[in-house]
Amino acid sequence: MASKLGITREGQAHNAANDCRELAKVIHALYLDGCTSFPAQRYDAKMGLNEKGESQHMPRVDVARAALLLHGAHPDKVSKWSNKIGIDRNDKLLIKSSLRAFHVFPKTASLAEMAAYKHFVGPRLRFCLCLQASLVCGEYGWQSKEYLAFEEIAQKIIEMKDVQPLVDGGWIMKQTGLEKGVKLGRLKEWLWKLQIERSATTLQEMEKILLDIDWENSDMETWPRFGKVSI
């Protein structure tokens, strides 16, 4: 980010005093460029506080820092780091889910992808958008075309209504005779994607969708999916 803002780094890297000076230069450059608030703040502004005075659904800053630092790391490295640091189970799960959220953030304003992302992150939506904003801004720069594209999609995700799956595993098992397993989960994902794309609102419509697709004879590896979540 410093280089994109035309800031020359000085002194030893990872030195507390030097890092503070570099951060001050970045803030000043952003201010001169017309930025009056940090991108991440926009998504935390309306969260409110809980009884402990903590921001709702916004975990400790060290959890956010860990997720950003581990972005793009191999899953084995993430697990090794988590075990070495000795963080508790809840924070470990939160970091991993944040890393998954990086991978499934919609590349376009597709209703299906945005609905899937919003459903996946749940109550941590604004926290995940904070992390995504920091990541995109740091990589491409504030007011870059990549960041502006992110802002547009993020705003649409916030404004869109939650879309819950109309059918669950039990309904699908009853209709198809499938047993619990990977195929059942993949079919449920496919049906939910089609539900969003076709704006289905009733079980009767879902029954028709199920009849329209060749789930019995086709390879489930070819079935449409939401963004892959593999970390």
Side-chain angles (χ1 to χ4, degrees):
M1 178 183 280
S3 62
K4 291 182 182 296
L5 290 170
I7 298 171
T8 302
R9 302 198 66 176
E10 300 175 1
Q12 182 180 353
H14 307 301
N15 175 278
N18 288 333
D19 286 348
C20 287
R21 281 191 286 268
E22 298 294 343
L23 181 58
K25 291 178 183 178
V26 169
I27 294 173
H28 183 61
L30 285 171
Y31 175 76
L32 293 177
D33 200 30
C35 180
T36 57
S37 65
F38 282 104
Q41 287 180 319
R42 303 176 192 178
Y43 302 106
D44 190 23
K46 298 181 180 180
M47 294 305 295
L49 303 177
N50 60 21
E51 63 277 3
K52 296 182 180 180
E54 300 168 332
S55 183
Q56 295 181 43
H57 304 308
M58 301 294 284
R60 298 193 315 272
V61 68
D62 54 337
V63 174
R65 185 185 296 117
L68 289 170
L69 289 173
L70 292 169
H71 168 67
H74 190 277
D76 291 342
K77 183 177 180 180
V78 174
S79 297
K80 184 177 180 180
W81 181 89
S82 300
N83 294 331
K84 183 177 180 180
I85 295 299
I87 58 178
D88 65 41
R89 182 175 180 276
N90 289 334
D91 285 348
K92 187 183 297 185
L93 291 174
L94 181 55
I95 290 171
K96 288 187 175 182
S97 67
S98 299
L99 294 176
R100 294 189 189 102
F102 285 141
H103 286 267
V104 298
F105 185 82
K107 300 296 187 296
T108 64
S110 159
L111 288 177
E113 299 297 331
M114 290 193 298
Y117 176 82
K118 191 167 188 176
H119 181 77
F120 172 72
V121 299
R124 298 290 186 185
L125 173 63
R126 290 183 179 271
F127 169 62
C128 289
L129 289 179
C130 276
L131 293 184
Q132 196 75 29
S134 301
L135 194 68
V136 177
C137 191
E139 184 172 356
Y140 298 104
W142 185 68
Q143 292 291 14
S144 64
K145 64 178 182 180
E146 290 84 1
Y147 182 77
L148 294 177
F150 157 76
E151 281 270 3
E152 181 180 355
I153 294 174
Q155 191 58 42
K156 288 181 178 180
I157 292 173
I158 291 174
E159 293 174 354
M160 76 181 301
K161 294 181 179 180
D162 292 337
V163 181
Q164 300 296 330
L166 287 172
V167 300
D168 57 16
W171 183 90
I172 297 173
M173 291 169 68
K174 184 177 180 180
Q175 297 291 323
T176 65
L178 287 175
E179 297 182 352
K180 291 182 179 179
V182 176
K183 191 171 185 178
L184 177 65
R186 290 290 297 275
L187 182 55
K188 180 182 177 182
E189 181 180 5
W190 189 7
L191 287 172
W192 185 33
K193 195 172 192 296
L194 290 172
Q195 169 194 326
I196 297 169
E197 292 173 350
R198 301 186 187 184
S199 302
T201 57
T202 66
L203 287 179
Q204 288 72 25
E205 290 174 298
M206 295 306 299
E207 288 176 4
K208 185 177 185 305
I209 289 175
L210 182 60
L211 291 173
D212 288 343
I213 60 177
D214 185 16
W215 62 269
E216 293 180 277
N217 302 312
S218 58
D219 182 359
M220 71 175 182
E221 295 302 324
T222 66
W223 295 354
R225 302 195 67 183
F226 291 116
K228 188 176 181 182
V229 185
S230 58
I231 290 181

